[in-house]
Short mmCIF file of all heavy atoms in Angstrom, two decimals:
data_model
loop_
_atom_site.label_atom_id
_atom_site.label_comp_id
_atom_site.label_asym_id
_atom_site.label_seq_id
_atom_site.Cartn_x
_atom_site.Cartn_y
_atom_site.Cartn_z
N ALA A 559 -5.34 1.97 3.42
CA ALA A 559 -6.51 2.46 4.16
C ALA A 559 -6.10 2.96 5.55
O ALA A 559 -6.66 3.94 6.05
CB ALA A 559 -7.55 1.35 4.28
N SER A 560 -5.12 2.33 6.15
CA SER A 560 -4.64 2.73 7.49
C SER A 560 -3.93 4.08 7.49
O SER A 560 -3.68 4.63 8.56
CB SER A 560 -3.70 1.66 8.05
OG SER A 560 -4.38 0.45 8.27
N THR A 561 -3.64 4.61 6.34
CA THR A 561 -3.00 5.92 6.26
C THR A 561 -3.88 7.00 6.89
O THR A 561 -3.37 8.00 7.37
CB THR A 561 -2.66 6.26 4.79
OG1 THR A 561 -1.85 5.20 4.25
CG2 THR A 561 -1.89 7.56 4.68
N ILE A 562 -5.18 6.78 6.95
CA ILE A 562 -6.06 7.75 7.61
C ILE A 562 -5.74 7.85 9.09
O ILE A 562 -5.99 8.87 9.72
CB ILE A 562 -7.55 7.45 7.39
CG1 ILE A 562 -7.97 6.14 8.05
CG2 ILE A 562 -7.89 7.48 5.90
CD1 ILE A 562 -9.47 5.87 8.10
N HIS A 563 -5.19 6.81 9.65
CA HIS A 563 -4.83 6.78 11.07
C HIS A 563 -3.43 7.34 11.29
O HIS A 563 -3.21 8.14 12.19
CB HIS A 563 -4.90 5.34 11.59
CG HIS A 563 -4.39 5.18 12.97
ND1 HIS A 563 -3.16 4.63 13.23
CD2 HIS A 563 -4.94 5.51 14.16
CE1 HIS A 563 -2.97 4.64 14.54
NE2 HIS A 563 -4.03 5.15 15.13
N SER A 564 -2.50 6.93 10.44
CA SER A 564 -1.11 7.38 10.56
C SER A 564 -0.51 7.46 9.16
O SER A 564 -0.50 6.47 8.42
CB SER A 564 -0.31 6.39 11.41
OG SER A 564 1.06 6.71 11.38
N ALA A 565 0.02 8.63 8.83
CA ALA A 565 0.57 8.84 7.48
C ALA A 565 1.66 7.82 7.15
O ALA A 565 1.83 7.45 5.99
CB ALA A 565 1.12 10.26 7.36
N ARG A 566 2.37 7.37 8.14
CA ARG A 566 3.47 6.42 7.95
C ARG A 566 3.01 5.13 7.26
O ARG A 566 3.77 4.47 6.57
CB ARG A 566 4.08 6.13 9.31
CG ARG A 566 5.23 5.20 9.30
CD ARG A 566 5.80 5.11 10.74
NE ARG A 566 6.92 4.23 10.76
CZ ARG A 566 6.84 2.94 11.10
NH1 ARG A 566 5.69 2.42 11.46
NH2 ARG A 566 7.92 2.20 11.08
N HIS A 567 1.75 4.77 7.45
CA HIS A 567 1.25 3.52 6.86
C HIS A 567 1.27 3.54 5.33
O HIS A 567 1.27 2.48 4.71
CB HIS A 567 -0.18 3.24 7.34
CG HIS A 567 -0.25 2.76 8.74
ND1 HIS A 567 0.19 1.52 9.14
CD2 HIS A 567 -0.72 3.37 9.85
CE1 HIS A 567 -0.01 1.38 10.43
NE2 HIS A 567 -0.55 2.50 10.90
N CYS A 568 1.29 4.70 4.72
CA CYS A 568 1.24 4.75 3.26
C CYS A 568 2.42 4.04 2.61
O CYS A 568 2.31 3.58 1.47
CB CYS A 568 1.11 6.18 2.76
SG CYS A 568 2.61 7.17 2.88
N ILE A 569 3.53 3.92 3.31
CA ILE A 569 4.69 3.24 2.73
C ILE A 569 4.40 1.74 2.51
O ILE A 569 5.03 1.10 1.68
CB ILE A 569 5.97 3.47 3.57
CG1 ILE A 569 7.22 3.18 2.75
CG2 ILE A 569 5.95 2.64 4.84
CD1 ILE A 569 7.47 4.14 1.61
N GLY A 570 3.41 1.23 3.21
CA GLY A 570 3.00 -0.16 3.00
C GLY A 570 2.49 -0.41 1.59
O GLY A 570 2.58 -1.53 1.08
N LEU A 571 1.96 0.63 0.96
CA LEU A 571 1.55 0.50 -0.43
C LEU A 571 2.74 0.06 -1.28
O LEU A 571 2.62 -0.84 -2.11
CB LEU A 571 0.98 1.82 -0.96
CG LEU A 571 0.65 1.88 -2.45
CD1 LEU A 571 -0.45 0.89 -2.81
CD2 LEU A 571 0.24 3.29 -2.84
N ALA A 572 3.89 0.69 -1.04
CA ALA A 572 5.09 0.34 -1.81
C ALA A 572 5.66 -1.01 -1.39
O ALA A 572 5.95 -1.85 -2.24
CB ALA A 572 6.14 1.43 -1.65
N PHE A 573 5.82 -1.21 -0.10
CA PHE A 573 6.47 -2.44 0.36
C PHE A 573 5.68 -3.70 0.01
O PHE A 573 6.27 -4.73 -0.31
CB PHE A 573 6.74 -2.38 1.86
CG PHE A 573 8.00 -1.64 2.21
CD1 PHE A 573 7.94 -0.40 2.83
CD2 PHE A 573 9.24 -2.15 1.90
CE1 PHE A 573 9.10 0.29 3.14
CE2 PHE A 573 10.40 -1.47 2.20
CZ PHE A 573 10.34 -0.24 2.82
N TYR A 574 4.38 -3.63 0.10
CA TYR A 574 3.55 -4.80 -0.23
C TYR A 574 2.99 -4.74 -1.65
O TYR A 574 3.00 -5.73 -2.37
CB TYR A 574 2.38 -4.91 0.76
CG TYR A 574 2.80 -5.23 2.16
CD1 TYR A 574 2.66 -4.29 3.17
CD2 TYR A 574 3.32 -6.48 2.49
CE1 TYR A 574 3.02 -4.58 4.48
CE2 TYR A 574 3.70 -6.77 3.79
CZ TYR A 574 3.55 -5.82 4.78
OH TYR A 574 3.92 -6.11 6.07
N GLY A 575 2.48 -3.58 -2.04
CA GLY A 575 1.83 -3.47 -3.34
C GLY A 575 2.76 -3.72 -4.51
O GLY A 575 2.38 -4.38 -5.48
N ALA A 576 3.98 -3.22 -4.42
CA ALA A 576 4.94 -3.43 -5.51
C ALA A 576 5.29 -4.90 -5.66
O ALA A 576 5.46 -5.41 -6.77
CB ALA A 576 6.19 -2.58 -5.27
N VAL A 577 5.37 -5.61 -4.53
CA VAL A 577 5.64 -7.05 -4.58
C VAL A 577 4.45 -7.79 -5.18
O VAL A 577 4.63 -8.73 -5.97
CB VAL A 577 6.00 -7.59 -3.18
CG1 VAL A 577 5.96 -9.10 -3.13
CG2 VAL A 577 7.39 -7.10 -2.79
N ALA A 578 3.24 -7.38 -4.83
CA ALA A 578 2.06 -8.01 -5.41
C ALA A 578 2.07 -7.89 -6.93
O ALA A 578 1.83 -8.87 -7.64
CB ALA A 578 0.79 -7.37 -4.83
N VAL A 579 2.36 -6.70 -7.41
CA VAL A 579 2.42 -6.48 -8.86
C VAL A 579 3.51 -7.36 -9.49
O VAL A 579 3.30 -8.00 -10.52
CB VAL A 579 2.63 -4.99 -9.18
CG1 VAL A 579 2.96 -4.78 -10.66
CG2 VAL A 579 1.41 -4.18 -8.79
N ALA A 580 4.66 -7.39 -8.85
CA ALA A 580 5.78 -8.17 -9.40
C ALA A 580 5.46 -9.66 -9.43
O ALA A 580 5.72 -10.33 -10.43
CB ALA A 580 7.04 -7.91 -8.58
N TYR A 581 4.88 -10.18 -8.35
CA TYR A 581 4.51 -11.60 -8.35
C TYR A 581 3.45 -11.89 -9.41
O TYR A 581 3.49 -12.94 -10.06
CB TYR A 581 3.99 -12.03 -6.98
CG TYR A 581 5.06 -12.34 -5.97
CD1 TYR A 581 4.92 -11.92 -4.65
CD2 TYR A 581 6.20 -13.05 -6.29
CE1 TYR A 581 5.88 -12.19 -3.69
CE2 TYR A 581 7.18 -13.33 -5.36
CZ TYR A 581 7.01 -12.90 -4.05
OH TYR A 581 7.98 -13.18 -3.13
N GLU A 582 2.54 -10.98 -9.60
CA GLU A 582 1.51 -11.18 -10.62
C GLU A 582 2.13 -11.20 -12.01
O GLU A 582 1.75 -12.01 -12.86
CB GLU A 582 0.43 -10.10 -10.52
CG GLU A 582 -0.66 -10.21 -11.54
CD GLU A 582 -1.53 -11.47 -11.41
OE1 GLU A 582 -1.55 -12.11 -10.35
OE2 GLU A 582 -2.19 -11.81 -12.41
N GLN A 583 3.07 -10.32 -12.26
CA GLN A 583 3.68 -10.24 -13.59
C GLN A 583 4.68 -11.36 -13.85
O GLN A 583 4.76 -11.86 -14.98
CB GLN A 583 4.36 -8.89 -13.77
CG GLN A 583 3.39 -7.75 -13.89
CD GLN A 583 4.07 -6.40 -14.06
OE1 GLN A 583 5.28 -6.30 -14.21
NE2 GLN A 583 3.27 -5.34 -14.03
N LEU A 584 5.47 -11.72 -12.84
CA LEU A 584 6.58 -12.66 -13.05
C LEU A 584 6.35 -14.06 -12.49
O LEU A 584 7.07 -14.98 -12.86
CB LEU A 584 7.86 -12.08 -12.43
CG LEU A 584 8.29 -10.71 -12.93
CD1 LEU A 584 9.50 -10.21 -12.14
CD2 LEU A 584 8.59 -10.75 -14.42
N GLY A 585 5.40 -14.20 -11.59
CA GLY A 585 5.17 -15.49 -10.94
C GLY A 585 5.95 -15.59 -9.66
O GLY A 585 7.02 -14.99 -9.51
N LYS A 586 5.43 -16.36 -8.73
CA LYS A 586 6.05 -16.45 -7.40
C LYS A 586 7.38 -17.19 -7.40
O LYS A 586 8.14 -17.08 -6.45
CB LYS A 586 5.09 -17.10 -6.41
CG LYS A 586 4.81 -18.55 -6.67
CD LYS A 586 3.90 -19.13 -5.62
CE LYS A 586 3.73 -20.61 -5.92
NZ LYS A 586 3.25 -21.36 -4.81
N ASP A 587 7.69 -17.91 -8.46
CA ASP A 587 8.94 -18.66 -8.51
C ASP A 587 10.06 -17.92 -9.23
O ASP A 587 11.17 -18.44 -9.37
CB ASP A 587 8.71 -20.02 -9.17
CG ASP A 587 7.75 -20.89 -8.36
OD1 ASP A 587 7.80 -20.81 -7.11
OD2 ASP A 587 6.95 -21.62 -8.97
N ALA A 588 9.79 -16.71 -9.67
CA ALA A 588 10.84 -15.91 -10.33
C ALA A 588 11.94 -15.60 -9.32
O ALA A 588 11.68 -15.48 -8.12
CB ALA A 588 10.25 -14.62 -10.88
N PRO A 589 13.17 -15.46 -9.78
CA PRO A 589 14.26 -15.11 -8.86
C PRO A 589 13.98 -13.76 -8.18
O PRO A 589 13.43 -12.84 -8.80
CB PRO A 589 15.48 -15.00 -9.78
CG PRO A 589 15.13 -15.78 -11.00
CD PRO A 589 13.64 -15.67 -11.15
N TRP A 590 14.37 -13.66 -6.90
CA TRP A 590 14.09 -12.46 -6.13
C TRP A 590 14.64 -11.21 -6.81
O TRP A 590 13.99 -10.17 -6.79
CB TRP A 590 14.61 -12.57 -4.71
CG TRP A 590 14.32 -11.33 -3.92
CD1 TRP A 590 15.21 -10.40 -3.50
CD2 TRP A 590 13.03 -10.86 -3.52
NE1 TRP A 590 14.57 -9.37 -2.84
CE2 TRP A 590 13.22 -9.63 -2.85
CE3 TRP A 590 11.74 -11.34 -3.66
CZ2 TRP A 590 12.17 -8.89 -2.32
CZ3 TRP A 590 10.68 -10.60 -3.13
CH2 TRP A 590 10.91 -9.39 -2.47
N ILE A 591 15.79 -11.29 -7.43
CA ILE A 591 16.38 -10.11 -8.08
C ILE A 591 15.44 -9.57 -9.16
O ILE A 591 15.28 -8.36 -9.31
CB ILE A 591 17.79 -10.40 -8.65
CG1 ILE A 591 18.46 -9.13 -9.14
CG2 ILE A 591 17.77 -11.43 -9.76
CD1 ILE A 591 19.00 -8.26 -8.05
N GLN A 592 14.77 -10.47 -9.89
CA GLN A 592 13.82 -10.04 -10.90
C GLN A 592 12.55 -9.47 -10.27
O GLN A 592 12.01 -8.46 -10.74
CB GLN A 592 13.46 -11.20 -11.83
CG GLN A 592 14.60 -11.63 -12.72
CD GLN A 592 14.24 -12.84 -13.57
OE1 GLN A 592 13.12 -13.32 -13.56
NE2 GLN A 592 15.23 -13.34 -14.30
N ILE A 593 12.09 -10.11 -9.20
CA ILE A 593 10.92 -9.60 -8.48
C ILE A 593 11.21 -8.19 -7.98
O ILE A 593 10.41 -7.27 -8.14
CB ILE A 593 10.55 -10.53 -7.29
CG1 ILE A 593 10.13 -11.91 -7.77
CG2 ILE A 593 9.50 -9.88 -6.38
CD1 ILE A 593 8.81 -11.99 -8.48
N GLU A 594 12.39 -8.00 -7.39
CA GLU A 594 12.74 -6.69 -6.85
C GLU A 594 12.87 -5.64 -7.95
O GLU A 594 12.45 -4.49 -7.76
CB GLU A 594 14.02 -6.79 -6.03
CG GLU A 594 14.26 -5.55 -5.21
CD GLU A 594 15.36 -5.71 -4.20
OE1 GLU A 594 16.32 -6.47 -4.46
OE2 GLU A 594 15.28 -5.05 -3.16
N GLN A 595 13.42 -6.00 -9.09
CA GLN A 595 13.53 -5.04 -10.20
C GLN A 595 12.15 -4.62 -10.70
O GLN A 595 11.91 -3.43 -10.95
CB GLN A 595 14.36 -5.64 -11.34
CG GLN A 595 15.83 -5.75 -11.03
CD GLN A 595 16.59 -6.57 -12.07
OE1 GLN A 595 16.02 -7.28 -12.89
NE2 GLN A 595 17.92 -6.46 -12.03
N CYS A 596 11.26 -5.57 -10.82
CA CYS A 596 9.89 -5.27 -11.25
C CYS A 596 9.19 -4.41 -10.19
O CYS A 596 8.51 -3.44 -10.53
CB CYS A 596 9.13 -6.58 -11.48
SG CYS A 596 7.46 -6.37 -12.10
N ALA A 597 9.39 -4.75 -8.93
CA ALA A 597 8.80 -3.98 -7.84
C ALA A 597 9.36 -2.56 -7.81
O ALA A 597 8.62 -1.60 -7.54
CB ALA A 597 9.04 -4.68 -6.51
N ALA A 598 10.63 -2.40 -8.10
CA ALA A 598 11.23 -1.07 -8.14
C ALA A 598 10.56 -0.21 -9.21
O ALA A 598 10.31 0.98 -9.01
CB ALA A 598 12.73 -1.16 -8.38
N GLN A 599 10.27 -0.81 -10.36
CA GLN A 599 9.58 -0.08 -11.42
C GLN A 599 8.18 0.32 -10.97
O GLN A 599 7.72 1.43 -11.25
CB GLN A 599 9.51 -0.93 -12.68
CG GLN A 599 10.85 -1.16 -13.33
CD GLN A 599 10.80 -2.17 -14.46
OE1 GLN A 599 9.81 -2.86 -14.65
NE2 GLN A 599 11.90 -2.25 -15.21
N GLU A 600 7.51 -0.57 -10.24
CA GLU A 600 6.18 -0.24 -9.74
C GLU A 600 6.26 0.89 -8.72
O GLU A 600 5.41 1.79 -8.71
CB GLU A 600 5.50 -1.47 -9.12
CG GLU A 600 4.06 -1.24 -8.74
CD GLU A 600 3.16 -0.90 -9.92
OE1 GLU A 600 3.44 -1.31 -11.07
OE2 GLU A 600 2.15 -0.20 -9.69
N CYS A 601 7.28 0.87 -7.88
CA CYS A 601 7.48 1.97 -6.93
C CYS A 601 7.68 3.30 -7.67
O CYS A 601 7.20 4.35 -7.21
CB CYS A 601 8.66 1.69 -6.01
SG CYS A 601 8.31 0.46 -4.74
N GLY A 602 8.34 3.25 -8.80
CA GLY A 602 8.49 4.45 -9.63
C GLY A 602 7.15 4.96 -10.13
O GLY A 602 6.90 6.16 -10.15
N ARG A 603 6.25 4.04 -10.50
CA ARG A 603 4.90 4.45 -10.92
C ARG A 603 4.11 5.02 -9.74
O ARG A 603 3.36 5.98 -9.89
CB ARG A 603 4.17 3.27 -11.58
CG ARG A 603 4.71 2.92 -12.96
CD ARG A 603 3.89 1.87 -13.67
NE ARG A 603 4.14 0.53 -13.18
CZ ARG A 603 5.16 -0.25 -13.58
NH1 ARG A 603 6.03 0.19 -14.48
NH2 ARG A 603 5.31 -1.45 -13.09
N MET A 604 4.31 4.42 -8.58
CA MET A 604 3.64 4.96 -7.38
C MET A 604 4.12 6.37 -7.08
O MET A 604 3.32 7.26 -6.78
CB MET A 604 3.93 4.05 -6.17
CG MET A 604 3.27 2.72 -6.24
SD MET A 604 3.80 1.68 -4.86
CE MET A 604 2.95 0.16 -5.26
N GLU A 605 5.43 6.58 -7.19
CA GLU A 605 5.98 7.92 -6.94
C GLU A 605 5.44 8.92 -7.96
O GLU A 605 5.09 10.04 -7.61
CB GLU A 605 7.50 7.88 -6.98
CG GLU A 605 8.12 9.21 -6.65
CD GLU A 605 9.63 9.18 -6.56
OE1 GLU A 605 10.24 8.10 -6.41
OE2 GLU A 605 10.23 10.28 -6.66
N ALA A 606 5.35 8.50 -9.22
CA ALA A 606 4.81 9.40 -10.25
C ALA A 606 3.36 9.75 -9.94
O ALA A 606 2.94 10.91 -10.11
CB ALA A 606 4.92 8.75 -11.63
N ALA A 607 2.60 8.78 -9.46
CA ALA A 607 1.20 9.04 -9.10
C ALA A 607 1.12 10.01 -7.93
O ALA A 607 0.24 10.89 -7.91
CB ALA A 607 0.49 7.73 -8.76
N LEU A 608 2.02 9.89 -6.97
CA LEU A 608 2.03 10.83 -5.85
C LEU A 608 2.44 12.22 -6.33
O LEU A 608 1.86 13.21 -5.92
CB LEU A 608 2.94 10.34 -4.72
CG LEU A 608 3.05 11.26 -3.49
CD1 LEU A 608 1.68 11.61 -2.92
CD2 LEU A 608 3.94 10.61 -2.43
N ARG A 609 3.41 12.29 -7.21
CA ARG A 609 3.82 13.59 -7.75
C ARG A 609 2.65 14.29 -8.45
O ARG A 609 2.51 15.51 -8.39
CB ARG A 609 4.98 13.45 -8.72
CG ARG A 609 6.30 13.22 -8.04
CD ARG A 609 7.48 13.42 -8.97
NE ARG A 609 8.67 12.93 -8.33
CZ ARG A 609 9.29 13.51 -7.30
NH1 ARG A 609 8.82 14.63 -6.81
NH2 ARG A 609 10.38 12.98 -6.76
N ASP A 610 1.80 13.49 -9.11
CA ASP A 610 0.65 14.06 -9.82
C ASP A 610 -0.34 14.73 -8.88
O ASP A 610 -1.04 15.66 -9.30
CB ASP A 610 -0.07 12.97 -10.62
CG ASP A 610 0.69 12.55 -11.86
OD1 ASP A 610 1.64 13.26 -12.27
OD2 ASP A 610 0.33 11.50 -12.44
N VAL A 611 -0.43 14.26 -7.63
CA VAL A 611 -1.40 14.83 -6.70
C VAL A 611 -0.73 15.65 -5.58
O VAL A 611 -1.43 16.23 -4.75
CB VAL A 611 -2.30 13.74 -6.07
CG1 VAL A 611 -3.11 13.04 -7.15
CG2 VAL A 611 -1.50 12.76 -5.24
N ALA A 612 0.59 15.68 -5.59
CA ALA A 612 1.33 16.37 -4.53
C ALA A 612 0.99 17.86 -4.50
O ALA A 612 0.83 18.50 -5.53
CB ALA A 612 2.83 16.18 -4.72
N VAL A 613 0.90 18.37 -3.29
CA VAL A 613 0.66 19.80 -3.08
C VAL A 613 2.01 20.49 -3.02
O VAL A 613 2.85 20.18 -2.17
CB VAL A 613 -0.13 20.03 -1.77
CG1 VAL A 613 -0.28 21.52 -1.49
CG2 VAL A 613 -1.49 19.34 -1.85
N LYS A 614 2.22 21.42 -3.95
CA LYS A 614 3.48 22.15 -3.98
C LYS A 614 3.59 23.02 -2.73
O LYS A 614 2.63 23.68 -2.34
CB LYS A 614 3.54 23.01 -5.25
CG LYS A 614 4.86 23.71 -5.47
CD LYS A 614 4.84 24.41 -6.81
CE LYS A 614 5.94 25.36 -7.06
NZ LYS A 614 7.27 25.02 -6.95
#
Side-chain angles (χ1 to χ4, degrees):
S560 295
T561 304
I562 66 170
H563 173 257
S564 172
R566 181 175 180 264
H567 285 290
C568 73
I569 199 67
L571 174 63
F573 277 110
Y574 293 111
V577 166
V579 169
Y581 279 139
E582 179 65 19
Q583 289 180 6
L584 303 175
K586 68 178 183 161
D587 297 325
W590 180 251
I591 188 77
Q592 291 176 5
I593 296 290
E594 193 169 31
Q595 288 170 345
C596 183
Q599 292 171 349
E600 187 62 28
C601 285
R603 287 186 283 277
M604 290 174 184
E605 184 175 341
L608 179 53
R609 283 194 192 288
D610 286 346
V611 298
V613 175
K614 186 175 168 55

